[in-house]
Amino acid sequence: MPLTPGSRLGSYEIVARVGAGGMGEVFRARDTRLRRDVALKVLPEAVARDADRLALFEREARMAAGLNHPNIVVLHSIEEEEGVRFITMELVDGESLDRQIDPKGLPPSRVLEISTALAEALVAAHEKGVVHRDLKPANVMVTREGRVKVLDFGLAKLAPPAPGVGGTQAPTMTSPVSIAGQVVGTVPYMAPEQVRGEPVDARTDLFALGIMMYELATGRRPFSGRTVADLSSAILRDAPEPLSSARGDLPRDLGGVVGRCLEKDPLDRFQTAREVRDELRTLQRALERDRPGAGKGGAAETPSIAVLPFVNMSRDEENEYFSDGLAEELLNSLAKIPELKVTGRTSSFAFKGKQEDLRDIGQKLGVSTLLEGSVRKAGNRVRITAQLIKVSDGFHLWSETYDRVLDDIFAVQDDIARAVSNALHVTLLGKRAASKANAESYQLALRGNHFFQQNTGPAIATAVALYREAIAKSPDDASAWAALARAHAFQAGYGYADRGESQSSAREAAERAIVLDDGLAEAHEVMGLVLGYLELRWKEAMAELRRARALAPGSGTIMSSMSQYEGAFGSMEEALRLARQAQEVDPLSPSAHANRARIESWARNWDSACEAHQRALELSPGMTAQHRALGLLYLKRGMRDEAIAEIQKEPVSGYRDHGLAIFYHALGMRRESDAALARLRGMGEGWECQFASVHAGRNEIDDAFRWLERAYELHDAGIATIKSDYLFESLHSDPRWPRFLETIGLGE
């Protein structure tokens, strides 16, 4: 049946024809059930009418549908309607890569960026046993944001033969190239074994990847010929011009990577896509280091450092909190330097107790220098050894040993920070007010920090007690007051203690910290959290966070907090910039990735949001609310099986039932949705925003607004997200929506 704009194929309304290939015609279509646009590919009759080929197609498509990766276009379903066989896929808003290749080649950074993304896609597919067989620029889409998406994994071998072409070439007859008056397929991207009609495997894809990398870099393919025979002969016998000869500004080692992909014998090529991916990542880091403006050993335009946890050399293992705390204090001091990029605590401390090469650690963290050391504490005396190490060659830029009494610990920290700043040629801002705390209160505060990092109700209660004990010994220590404020804010926000009492205590402690030291970034940051999430005074909260960022521009924690507030106001471009920057500062922090995932979803960047959630879960399996959030994003993308699997993995029952209530409603399973919502309501106070979002998703608008009003009365912290959260989209057309946003301080 002919498909034209406006015609229907089952529940799909055809919007426009967007192309055709060996696997059939491709249309943009509207899925009227899920109210989303998809790419709909109608199979050629030669496949649909051949039982064996159809069975093979369905087998291959099921394997391809199991792929879930940000660089692979998602295959949604295989369907039949009125005798027409078709598949539905994720619709990518962008254009094919072949339209973006410049005749002179792309900039080196973009060559590596695209090549690495292609290799990432191959890693994901090959590890699931799926080989593409027809990798080429026309089968790669580039979104408007520049992200790479590979099409048709595992399906290419099902394409019908083109007229006059032998069966051995059938898998690639999908992209026209005029040769001797005959339209043939993508012979220019074939590997020698394909040309000879031999079996293909994952290494065949690597040969095609090599051809594409060469073309991205030079604007032309490595093999050419006027006829099919000439081109096939070149692929089988000719050596391409070396990349270094074709273009002089490319990374020196890129030619070696491409050359190894283009080896004629599969045994001489890279054996896995992972190897290629890892080589390309290394080249990306080297290009970043060597670009103009970067230091000779640097990993970015600005000097960069990670402070590793200091090793506890004391006999008493309980002193671990002291060595960790010393490193954290130094990290906080260095984060105040505008010219210095400082890796966040979570990423730096990820290497605690691990025997990894320092150069490898530096490369993983993307920094040019590492500060490491050791602490030996006995009674009131302490020996601190610190070394500043250059990542590129492992040499020491500076080292020193300090034998002091604990009362001198603040002076030692200042000395170390000053030595680091001098070695990196950056300006250290200010000095610690050593007179505000004594050695005993300092140790109590460090122990409090140790418990606070555990983020459980009992641990934070212990931290509160330790901070209060520290303050009792040094009432004018602004840092201890700020730490106490943060602990009380967490108790209020997470329900670890009475909300009203904890909120009041957090506010009082934050105010005291600012009075004692208006230049303390941590004090302004925690005040921003109290004013925003606990008191819903967003503009005042943002002013405090901006003050905090001005005082500590390198703090990833402050960047993340600001990104949430910018997103809450609807300033998505700035929110995304800050969230991504926070992730760069703390690349191994699950919280940084989870925060970026939330902001990406607010900006409706579904693929990037999924990627960030997946990374957060890789770093912290079972992280609260992440499986639920990822599952709902899968549901948004039509990936039902993946969605329910993720939601059911959610360890917190409230978030799990929240996700299930929304999921079951989307599938028309009302009774199951009601049951999940009933269980969620049994959680009691603190879940009002979740109740509201379920009702919004079920188009129960009055109930949604009723629960939002209740959430506002209780100052539920979730109120901060509703303006941008896609789960509340059904409320946007209601006249009550702008009035409610105005009420909670998030109006235009």
Side-chain angles (χ1 to χ4, degrees):
M1 60 177 288
L3 295 178
T4 57
S7 61
R8 301 269 304 225
L9 193 58
S11 62
Y12 300 95
E13 181 179 343
I14 302 301
V15 177
R17 182 179 183 276
V18 295
M23 282 307 301
E25 291 185 291
V26 184
F27 300 86
R28 184 187 187 108
R30 181 70 175 172
D31 184 340
T32 57
R33 291 172 304 181
L34 297 179
R35 293 182 291 180
R36 63 175 181 182
D37 284 354
V38 299
L40 188 151
K41 181 174 286 191
V42 178
L43 299 188
E45 289 188 2
V47 174
R49 293 182 179 178
D50 186 319
D52 291 337
R53 295 185 72 192
L54 185 59
L56 178 61
F57 161 76
E58 291 181 346
R59 196 159 57 243
E60 292 288 326
R62 279 193 294 272
M63 291 181 67
L67 299 178
N68 176 30
H69 190 273
N71 297 122
I72 298 176
V73 170
V74 177
L75 194 158
H76 294 316
S77 63
I78 314 165
E79 303 188 34
E80 180 180 9
E81 194 72 38
E82 300 178 12
V84 178
R85 295 270 185 172
F86 60 94
I87 58 178
T88 64
M89 301 177 295
E90 170 189 6
L91 182 68
V92 180
D93 185 15
E95 63 180 0
S96 58
L97 180 59
D98 57 346
R99 295 176 176 269
Q100 296 199 352
I101 297 176
D102 190 280
K104 294 182 180 180
L106 299 176
S109 59
R110 186 61 175 154
V111 172
L112 289 174
E113 183 181 6
I114 294 174
S115 299
T116 303
L118 294 172
E120 292 274 15
L122 292 178
V123 170
H126 291 173
E127 290 183 350
K128 290 288 185 70
V130 181
V131 180
H132 196 288
R133 305 179 184 90
D134 190 27
L135 190 64
K136 59 185 178 183
N139 269 342
V140 176
M141 295 295 292
V142 181
T143 70
R144 295 187 184 279
E145 297 80 22
R147 297 185 183 89
V148 171
K149 295 277 203 175
V150 183
L151 299 158
D152 291 350
F153 264 101
L155 304 181
K157 75 177 184 181
L158 303 170
V165 180
T168 62
Q169 294 177 340
T172 61
M173 298 302 106
T174 56
S175 180
V177 174
S178 295
I179 301 180
Q182 174 177 288
V183 176
V184 299
T186 46
V187 178
Y189 299 94
M190 283 184 175
E193 59 268 27
Q194 284 178 297
V195 173
R196 289 191 294 263
E198 297 171 350
V200 301
D201 60 21
R203 294 168 298 182
T204 304
D205 284 347
L206 300 187
F207 192 95
L209 176 60
I211 293 175
M212 290 178 65
M213 287 194 288
Y214 193 103
E215 189 174 5
L216 290 169
T218 66
R220 65 179 188 275
R221 303 185 190 107
F223 308 106
S224 60
R226 295 182 57 195
T227 66
V228 172
D230 290 343
L231 183 54
S232 299
S233 178
I235 292 171
L236 291 170
R237 298 177 178 83
D238 293 352
E241 179 186 9
L243 272 186
S244 57
S245 300
R247 184 172 169 187
D249 64 336
L250 295 169
R252 182 181 59 188
D253 295 331
L254 179 59
V257 176
V258 173
R260 192 171 169 193
C261 287
L262 294 179
E263 289 287 351
K264 309 298 184 187
D265 188 338
L267 291 173
D268 294 329
R269 294 175 205 152
F270 290 103
Q271 296 301 290
T272 67
R274 185 176 293 275
E275 293 177 82
V276 182
R277 190 272 315 273
D278 291 345
E279 290 288 340
L280 291 171
R281 283 181 173 177
T282 299
L283 292 180
Q284 282 184 300
R285 289 192 293 267
L287 182 65
E288 186 72 13
R289 283 198 304 268
D290 296 339
R291 71 183 182 184
K296 291 182 180 179
E301 290 183 353
T302 56
S304 51
I305 190 171
V307 181
L308 301 182
F310 279 34
V311 177
N312 176 28
M313 303 292 288
S314 308
R315 293 183 179 179
D316 187 354
E317 292 184 2
E318 194 173 316
N319 282 325
E320 196 79 13
Y321 76 88
F322 187 88
S323 54
D324 284 356
L326 177 61
E328 189 170 357
E329 289 288 299
L330 287 167
L331 186 155
N332 290 336
S333 294
L334 295 171
K336 295 175 171 64
I337 303 175
E339 312 102 294
L340 185 62
K341 173 191 170 187
V342 183
T343 298
R345 180 193 190 278
T346 305
S347 296
S348 294
F349 277 54
F351 298 95
K352 181 178 172 68
K354 297 180 180 178
Q355 301 299 316
E356 288 199 41
D357 185 274
L358 292 176
R359 285 173 288 189
D360 291 339
I361 292 175
Q363 289 179 352
K364 289 177 181 178
L365 295 177
V367 295
S368 59
T369 52
L370 295 171
L371 180 65
E372 66 158 3
S374 62
V375 179
R376 187 183 299 276
K377 180 173 173 286
N380 194 44
R381 296 204 62 86
V382 61
R383 168 174 284 189
I384 299 171
T385 300
Q387 304 97 27
L388 184 65
I389 298 165
K390 187 177 177 183
V391 168
S392 61
D393 53 23
F395 288 127
H396 286 63
L397 295 173
W398 164 85
S399 64
E400 187 65 75
T401 298
Y402 304 86
D403 286 301
R404 304 287 177 86
V405 295
L406 281 174
D407 287 337
D408 293 336
I409 190 66
F410 306 111
V412 172
Q413 290 178 16
D414 283 336
D415 287 346
I416 294 174
R418 189 180 302 106
V420 169
S421 65
N422 289 338
L424 299 181
H425 307 290
V426 293
T427 304
L428 184 64
L429 300 181
K431 285 187 64 176
R432 177 187 305 275
S435 62
K436 297 293 181 69
N438 61 38
E440 191 175 0
S441 66
Y442 174 72
Q443 291 187 78
L444 288 165
L446 290 187
R447 290 184 62 198
N449 294 344
H450 173 75
F451 283 100
F452 177 81
Q453 291 294 336
Q454 298 173 33
N455 194 13
T456 66
I460 290 186
T462 301
V464 166
L466 287 165
Y467 292 142
R468 288 197 175 279
E469 194 175 345
I471 289 169
K473 295 184 180 299
S474 295
D476 293 336
D477 182 3
S479 293
W481 281 104
L484 177 64
R486 187 185 303 277
H488 279 309
F490 269 55
Q491 287 181 318
Y494 285 99
Y496 293 151
D498 179 80
R499 181 185 175 90
E501 183 178 333
S502 297
Q503 179 178 326
S504 176
S505 296
R507 175 65 183 270
E508 291 173 5
E511 288 177 338
R512 181 63 177 160
I514 292 173
V515 167
L516 289 169
D517 186 357
D518 187 55
L520 184 65
E522 297 91 327
H524 290 282
E525 179 203 353
V526 72
M527 180 60 85
L529 297 178
V530 171
L531 288 171
Y533 281 110
L534 300 183
E535 299 185 7
L536 308 185
R537 295 161 59 185
W538 310 112
K539 293 182 180 178
E540 295 170 65
M542 181 58 82
E544 290 292 339
L545 286 177
R546 287 180 177 139
R547 169 71 171 147
R549 182 138 196 253
L551 292 167
S555 169
T557 302
I558 295 174
M559 293 174 197
S560 288
S561 297
M562 286 191 68
S563 71
Q564 293 173 33
Y565 282 22
E566 293 285 6
F569 281 114
S571 304
M572 284 306 156
E573 187 174 340
E574 181 64 8
L576 285 169
R577 187 185 70 80
L578 287 165
R580 291 166 182 170
Q581 190 175 356
Q583 181 185 295
E584 291 173 5
V585 167
D586 213 352
L588 300 183
S589 165
S591 295
H593 288 277
N595 177 66
R596 190 198 127 210
R598 171 188 279 190
I599 306 299
E600 296 280 6
S601 74
W602 289 355
R604 301 340 186 228
N605 297 333
W606 311 123
D607 294 340
S608 296
C610 286
E611 174 196 359
H613 278 305
Q614 290 162 353
R615 183 60 176 146
L617 286 167
E618 286 175 14
L619 293 166
S620 179
M623 186 179 182
T624 298
Q626 294 306 294
H627 285 294
R628 181 281 315 261
L630 180 57
L632 291 180
L633 285 173
Y634 284 155
L635 178 64
K636 187 78 175 174
R637 297 168 63 189
M639 301 163 61
R640 295 180 177 179
D641 292 342
E642 293 86 348
I644 188 63
E646 283 296 330
I647 294 170
Q648 289 175 336
K649 291 178 188 175
E650 174 57 50
V652 179
S653 61
Y655 289 118
R656 184 170 61 250
D657 286 327
H658 173 249
L660 289 173
I662 295 172
F663 174 83
Y664 286 132
H665 172 77
L667 269 64
M669 302 168 68
R670 179 71 188 208
R671 183 171 58 185
E672 290 83 352
S673 179
D674 285 345
L677 178 57
R679 292 193 299 270
L680 179 61
R681 285 180 179 162
M683 298 294 292
E685 284 190 3
W687 295 84
E688 288 76 18
C689 281
Q690 281 79 18
F691 303 159
S693 65
V694 171
H695 287 297
R698 293 172 16 151
N699 288 312
E700 296 162 351
I701 307 302
D702 290 342
D703 287 332
F705 276 107
R706 178 167 58 86
W707 281 112
L708 283 179
E709 292 286 354
R710 180 61 177 156
Y712 177 57
E713 291 173 11
L714 296 173
H715 279 196
D716 185 335
I719 282 286
T721 71
I722 68 166
K723 182 174 182 177
S724 301
D725 194 337
Y726 68 91
L727 294 176
F728 292 94
E729 283 181 339
S730 64
L731 308 184
H732 291 186
S733 59
D734 192 285
R736 288 171 287 184
W737 180 249
R739 293 200 297 269
F740 184 72
L741 292 181
E742 195 67 36
T743 298
I744 65 175
L746 292 177
E748 295 298 337

